Amino acid sequence: MTLFEELQARGLVQATTDPEIGKMLEQPQTIYCGFDPSANSLQAGNLVSIMMLRRLQLAGHKIIALVGGATGLIGDPSGKSAERNMLTLEQVAENKKGIRENLSRILDFDGPNAAIMVDNYDWYSGLSAIAFLRDVAINFRVPQMLAKESVKKRLEASEGALTFTEFSYQILQGNDFLHLYDTYGCTMEVGGADQWGNITAGTDIVHKMRGKTVFGLTFPLLLDGSGKKFGKSEGNAMFMSAEKTSVYDWYQFFLRSADADVIRYLKVFSLKPLEEIAKLEAEMKAHPEARIPQKALAEELTVMVHGEAGLKTALGATQTLFGGDVTGKSAEELETIFKDVKSATLDKAELVGKPVFAVAATAGMFKSNGEARRMAQQGGLSLNGAKADDKRILEDADFVDGRVAVLRSGKKNFFLLKVK
């Protein structure tokens, strides 16, 4: 199987600018993909682009990760129904650092085939408006620009509220390709399906200005079984930075993949051979309750992004959540693990020296003191993973780092006690 055939088999080819692109990929090329510096961390949705670059790098191609320091100041209208908030130069610079760190976890920036990262602000910052219009914009035709699908959709969605600034985005991105061709011999751009118009703007301008054929390839936008864009969870992005998304949440996000989605996700994100993924699919059909593919996906992507230590943390947090044992966990870790469960913050005087069941009732875990007592008497109340009968007294030592304790009733009803 050729590289292009494998990309097709993994569902990573939506459209190409040339039918000969498969043959072209059999020889070493310089290939780039752009990243929008709208945040100081990339997210799960960016993994499609990153893993595409990783596969190409492993196949021997030279990789350029372009951070749109200039285009990020404008905002890409592709796939957007409204103009985005413009970033400051300081914000873009800070976000660029975070993106470089994220990419370095998966792409090799050292060695004989090292990837490089460039910022298009470097070649636009000194360009005057006159020079831009005379030397760059003159090579683009308005009818062609209006015919781009991304522009047409935005005009329809926003009733024509597309600014000239956003309209010029494709000029800048097209010129990026020309600059990378001239500077690095770049011959190919890859990106999501929503980038087709911007990518073809680049292939067109290189052909027009240099008389050379360069290539573009898009991959499908990854959607979950419900049709929502991958990487969004109830409107919240899954960031690669552990400061923005905990390692536990990252692991759980992939572990919760639906059976209808997980094999597709493995093909896109995993470096496992397709034959191994096919075996995982067979195991899922035979034993769906075991969620074997989901575990394989979550473990591989957690190690890839957060390392072996990150996976150990995630597995430990999972064990804590499902077993209630807080041994070895810090208060900060517990607050992260149980951030979505009910909690109460009380004065220490209301906690220490009182029966556990009474504290649970006072905190609002139970409707009444009697209900809490019965649960404790029946062995259904736990404190930090250990049974707490109706005679168990809450002590200072029960609070991890003097701050939090974990209550549980039954198997799954957790409650976090916090000291004010």
Side-chain angles (χ1 to χ4, degrees), residues 100-107 240-242 304-306:
R100 167 64 188 243
E101 191 280 328
N102 291 166
L103 291 174
S104 67
R105 303 182 201 178
I106 299 175
L107 301 178
M240 292 175 66
S241 167
M304 188 181 295
V305 174
H306 296 291

Side-chain angles (χ1 to χ4, degrees), residues 110-257:
D110 299 300
N113 190 34
I116 61 172
M117 192 171 96
V118 297
D119 181 351
N120 61 11
Y121 186 76
D122 292 341
W123 54 88
Y124 285 124
S125 59
L127 189 66
S128 70
I130 296 297
F132 171 75
L133 293 170
R134 185 191 64 189
D135 300 331
V136 180
I138 195 172
N139 299 301
F140 292 80
R141 297 292 176 261
V142 171
Q144 288 179 298
M145 295 174 68
L146 286 170
K148 301 292 186 183
E149 192 66 24
S150 60
V151 172
K152 289 196 293 185
K153 284 185 176 180
R154 175 61 192 281
L155 286 171
E156 292 169 3
S158 60
E159 298 182 352
L162 176 70
T163 67
F164 176 78
T165 302
E166 293 176 287
F167 186 56
S168 66
Y169 186 94
Q170 60 181 288
I171 298 177
L172 295 173
Q173 188 164 329
N175 191 57
D176 285 344
F177 205 158
L178 179 63
H179 176 87
L180 295 178
Y181 174 81
D182 288 342
T183 307
Y184 301 101
C186 184
T187 53
M188 183 175 174
E189 179 182 2
V190 297
D194 58 348
Q195 293 298 307
W196 178 253
N198 294 325
I199 290 173
T200 54
T203 57
D204 290 346
I205 195 64
V206 173
H207 187 265
K208 181 177 181 179
M209 298 296 294
R210 301 292 182 263
K212 300 294 185 180
T213 298
V214 291
F215 302 84
L217 180 152
T218 61
F219 37 82
L221 296 179
L222 194 60
L223 306 176
D224 63 21
S226 64
K228 290 195 299 186
K229 194 172 181 180
F230 178 83
K232 302 290 184 181
S233 177
E234 297 179 356
N236 298 317
M238 290 288 110
F239 289 98
M240 292 175 66
S241 167
E243 294 179 358
K244 297 174 79 74
T245 297
S246 72
V247 178
Y248 167 76
D249 284 337
W250 177 268
Y251 173 83
Q252 285 292 322
F253 175 78
F254 291 100
L255 187 64
R256 290 193 299 266
S257 298

Side-chain angles (χ1 to χ4, degrees), residues 21-98:
I21 201 167
K23 293 180 181 178
M24 184 272 287
L25 284 172
E26 294 308 301
Q27 300 296 323
Q29 305 292 328
T30 299
I31 302 171
Y32 95 96
C33 183
F35 294 90
D36 183 5
S38 56
N40 61 4
S41 173
L42 297 174
Q43 54 177 285
N46 296 116
L47 280 177
V48 186
S49 301
I50 300 170
M51 292 310 298
M52 169 66 89
L53 293 181
R54 181 58 178 157
R55 293 182 203 285
L56 293 169
Q57 186 178 42
L58 289 172
H61 299 291
K62 180 78 173 181
I63 297 304
I64 300 175
L66 184 147
V67 174
T71 42
L73 293 171
I74 294 172
D76 184 0
S78 302
K80 304 293 185 295
S81 59
E83 187 173 23
R84 296 191 297 189
N85 293 329
M86 291 190 182
L87 301 173
T88 65
L89 284 172
E90 292 75 19
Q91 286 174 315
V92 170
E94 188 63 27
N95 294 349
K96 179 181 169 183
K97 292 178 185 177

Side-chain angles (χ1 to χ4, degrees), residues 306-320:
H306 296 291
E308 292 287 352
L311 177 60
K312 184 178 179 180
T313 296
L315 293 175
T318 301
Q319 184 178 8
T320 298

